[in-house]
Amino acid sequence: MVGYVIYGRGSFNQLDEIIAPQRKDGRPMVFLVDHFFSAAYSGDGKPLVNRMPVRGNDKIIFADVTFEPKTTYVDKLAQELKDEFGTVSGIIGIGGGSTMDLAKAVSLMMNNPGSSADYQGWDLVKQPGVYKAGIPTLSGTGAEVSRTTVLTGPTKKLGMNSDFTPFDQIVLDPELTANAPANQRFYTGMDCYIHCIESLTGTYLNEFSKSYGEKALLLCRDVFINKDRWDDDCDDKLMMASYAGGMSIAYSQVGVAHAVSYGLSYLLGTKHGIGNCMVMNQLEEYYPEGAAEFKWMVEKNNIEIPAGICNGLSEEQFDTMINVSIGMKPLWENALGKDWEKIMTREKLRALYEKL
Ligand SMILES: NC(=O)c1ccc[n+]([C@@H]2O[C@H](COP(=O)([O-])OP(=O)(O)OC[C@H]3O[C@@H](n4cnc5c(N)ncnc54)[C@H](O)[C@@H]3O)[C@@H](O)[C@H]2O)c1
Ligand SMILES: [Fe+2]
């Protein structure tokens, strides 16, 4: 689990104090910041950058999250830091799920040999990374609390799942998510909603997961159903929903939407949040209540869910997606039970992909 958690509007202002005890003589803190906050990306830059507690030889690196994190990018960032500094005091990841995952992975690769691709799997990481803190600027993925960092490698899209992966510290400041574009906020927020549906209806469910999942679901409904207008309260609630939703899957698993959307993202580079939404839109058979409620939220919030993404794909491409998806065994088992292979055949999965 995450070592330390701080929550509250304006809590970002305490970052200097929070990281001070972690500073090691002469070694910099590295702020890995979502490129959304850079001048190059958004014109004159965002004021958040001027609020970073930069001291001495600290470094700000803007994370390019045009594509979701790749092992090659993680390796490059870690190697550059090793070449420049030998080692660093810590990595502070500030951004959406992609930037937080990059920060976790780079921290681990500062102290583990080889390539991050060598550690895609379960409990393959042997050494703790350097100190790492996570500060979300989008709410929903639960990457701030999870024990994984999802990476696309040469042969698979799979996380570095390990006891060393969670952040040492997270700073949950809902002010940082204000002004995110409505579509992006919805796609990432739905990642959390879908985590709840998949966890609460799954066969792996237990009281730990249920306790967090039920609360996260209520918060999602408050934000996307009960409210008529986005306000600060929505940012506050969605940030806690993301946290609780992440805690819920920590002791259970995700399900059909994630298993299918992983195939899309592997083949087509479809982003996690939007990919999950495209799939959830077609999952009445597996999550009748969740899919219906999801559609209502799409309508109520005036969101566009793209369709037709699999039109014109070749046999080979369908096969690739099906292979990636069917390979996510624990997700299917959680969703459909021990006999899932009898229920979700390749033909059925193919038909589902064709609907997207
Ligand atoms: N580790 C985990 O447990 C876990 C769980 C779920 C998803 N993920 C990963 O998280 C990623 C998806 O994360 P995400 O949905 O947060 O999106 P993201 O991090 O990919 O960011 C999406 C876009 O929003 C921009 N952005 C970030 N903050 C913003 C802000 N405040 N205002 C406006 N734009 C902003 C980014 O620059 C980017 O263009 C995927 O890579 C996925 O694999 C990880
Ligand atoms: Fe997710």
Side-chain angles (χ1 to χ4, degrees), residues 34-37 41 63 65-69 95-101 104 136-151 157 176-181 184 187-189 191 195 249 258 262 271-273:
D34 197 306
H35 68 176
F36 171 75
F37 297 97
Y41 191 82
V65 294
T66 315
F67 305 104
E68 293 189 342
S98 296
T99 306
M100 288 191 283
D101 273 1
K104 290 199 244 183
T137 64
L138 286 173
S139 295
T141 63
E144 63 277 22
V145 285
S146 75
R147 83 191 276 282
T148 188
T149 157
V150 184
L151 302 176
K157 182 173 180 195
L176 304 183
T177 63
N179 308 321
Q184 182 64 58
Y187 300 145
T188 303
D191 192 17
H195 290 158
I249 42 170
H258 276 76
Y262 265 96
K271 294 208 167 182
H272 188 77

Side-chain angles (χ1 to χ4, degrees), residues 3 9 62 187 333:
R9 297 199 148 256
F62 288 107
Y187 300 145
E333 188 180 285

Side-chain angles (χ1 to χ4, degrees), residues 9-194:
R9 297 199 148 256
S11 55
F12 183 81
N13 294 334
Q14 293 174 50
L15 187 59
D16 195 21
E17 274 173 72
I18 290 170
I19 60 179
Q22 309 299 336
R23 291 184 177 279
K24 308 220 165 61
D25 268 351
R27 299 177 188 166
M29 276 293 173
V30 176
F31 300 90
L32 189 60
V33 184
D34 197 306
H35 68 176
F36 171 75
F37 297 97
S38 74
Y41 191 82
S42 56
D44 50 358
K46 296 279 183 256
L48 185 65
V49 177
N50 306 325
R51 294 170 58 202
M52 306 282 161
V54 174
R55 296 180 177 272
N57 58 349
D58 286 0
K59 189 173 173 110
I60 294 180
I61 299 175
F62 288 107
D64 182 348
V65 294
T66 315
F67 305 104
E68 293 189 342
K70 293 190 170 63
T71 52
T72 45
Y73 189 37
V74 170
D75 295 348
K76 176 174 169 279
L77 288 170
Q79 193 57 50
E80 282 170 4
L81 289 174
K82 285 182 206 170
D83 291 346
E84 187 173 353
F85 302 108
T87 185
V88 300
S89 290
I91 311 275
I92 320 294
I94 304 172
S98 296
T99 306
M100 288 191 283
D101 273 1
L102 275 172
K104 290 199 244 183
V106 171
S107 150
L108 293 172
M109 293 317 294
M110 291 305 291
N111 289 349
N112 285 278
S115 160
S116 50
D118 305 338
Y119 302 98
Q120 286 181 282
W122 279 268
D123 301 303
L124 302 173
V125 180
K126 296 291 179 259
Q127 301 291 332
V130 296
Y131 173 82
K132 53 185 165 339
I135 308 181
T137 64
L138 286 173
S139 295
T141 63
E144 63 277 22
V145 285
S146 75
R147 83 191 276 282
T148 188
T149 157
V150 184
L151 302 176
T152 303
T155 58
K156 53 196 164 198
K157 182 173 180 195
L158 186 61
M160 296 165 81
N161 297 261
S162 85
D163 285 343
F164 301 119
T165 308
F167 284 116
D168 297 294
Q169 166 90 51
I170 55 176
V171 177
L172 304 177
D173 182 348
E175 273 180 10
L176 304 183
T177 63
N179 308 321
N183 271 324
Q184 182 64 58
R185 193 167 59 199
F186 186 84
Y187 300 145
T188 303
M190 281 302 114
D191 192 17
C192 175
Y193 175 80
I194 294 168

Side-chain angles (χ1 to χ4, degrees), residues 287-300:
Y287 304 116
E289 289 166 17
E293 190 169 57
F294 169 78
K295 286 189 171 172
W296 165 232
M297 292 188 285
V298 170
E299 195 184 316
K300 169 146 199 211

